[in-house]
């Protein structure tokens, strides 16, 4: 049992520079540290807790090709994370590209397809665990009209 603390800042912004374009982004900067933590008789005070990235950033852009079809692209970045309390093992930072295309079928129905990790980047978030490589998601969203 021990103590850890974290301080940080999170920023997010969105803008619609034209009726067709929309941009959104966010950034998190975190300073997480063990304050009072002893493991195997060794103090880990001052080390970064395992699996805690110091930076996370996302940037999304979408473009309305027509009033019913929207294309989007997003970049996700996760900073280096340590794999143990001693900070002797780590996973490097990684950046992923996601793509999407949405079709507004009518006022209540939208069909969306997304490709996550479009470049098929191989990365790890924990020892021996590889998240999904390139994946395709298809979503049908239906919202019934509200009745008054």
């Amino acid at each position: 049992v021990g103590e850890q603390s974290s301080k940080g800042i999170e920023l997010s912004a969105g803008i619609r520079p034209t009726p067709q374009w929309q941009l959104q982004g966010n950034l998190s900067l975190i300073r997480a540290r063990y304050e009072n933590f002893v493991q195997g008789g060794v103090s880990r005070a001052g080390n970064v807790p395992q699996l805690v990235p110091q930076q996370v950033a996302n940037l999304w852009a979408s473009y309305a090709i027509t009033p019913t079809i929207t294309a989007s692209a997003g970049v996700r970045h996760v900073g280096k994370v340590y794999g143990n309390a001693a900070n002797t093992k780590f996973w490097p930072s990684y950046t992923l590209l996601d793509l999407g295309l949405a079709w507004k079928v009518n006022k209540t129905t939208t069909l969306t397809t997304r490709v996550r990790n479009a470049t098929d980047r191989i990365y790890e978030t924990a020892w021996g665990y590889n998240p999904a490589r390139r994946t395709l998601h298809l979503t049908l969203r239906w919202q019934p009209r509200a009745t008054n």
Side-chain angles (χ1 to χ4, degrees):
V1 178
E3 294 177 31
Q4 74 180 48
S5 65
S6 61
K7 295 178 184 178
I9 185 169
E10 185 171 336
L11 306 169
S12 65
I15 186 171
R16 186 180 294 269
T18 71
Q20 291 83 22
W21 281 101
Q22 183 174 352
L23 303 171
Q24 296 178 344
N26 60 55
L27 171 68
S28 294
L29 301 173
I30 303 163
R31 185 188 183 283
R33 297 290 184 269
Y34 288 122
E35 298 298 329
N36 179 16
F37 181 56
V38 176
Q39 181 184 49
V42 178
S43 174
R44 302 297 183 200
N47 286 7
V48 176
Q50 56 188 337
L51 304 179
V52 178
Q54 303 290 300
Q55 313 87 22
V56 176
N58 296 283
L59 179 62
W60 273 92
S62 61
Y63 180 75
I65 299 168
T66 71
T68 60
I69 298 177
T70 302
S72 61
V75 176
R76 296 181 284 142
H77 175 78
V78 177
K80 172 176 83 172
V81 296
Y82 287 100
N84 60 11
N87 289 178
T88 58
K89 296 179 181 178
F90 69 91
W91 292 279
S93 64
Y94 59 89
T95 303
L96 304 176
L97 173 68
D98 299 333
L99 303 171
L101 190 63
W103 172 38
K104 187 172 182 179
V105 179
N106 56 41
K107 290 182 180 185
T108 62
T109 308
T110 303
L111 181 64
T112 303
T113 185
R114 289 188 181 89
V115 179
R116 293 182 57 91
N117 191 8
T119 60
D120 205 21
R121 167 114 189 237
I122 298 171
Y123 64 101
E124 282 188 285
T125 58
W127 295 112
Y129 172 74
N130 292 323
R133 293 181 61 179
R134 180 184 306 130
T135 55
L136 176 68
H137 299 262
L138 185 63
T139 305
L140 179 64
R141 182 176 180 214
W142 176 69
Q143 286 185 299
R145 294 182 188 187
T147 56
N148 295 344

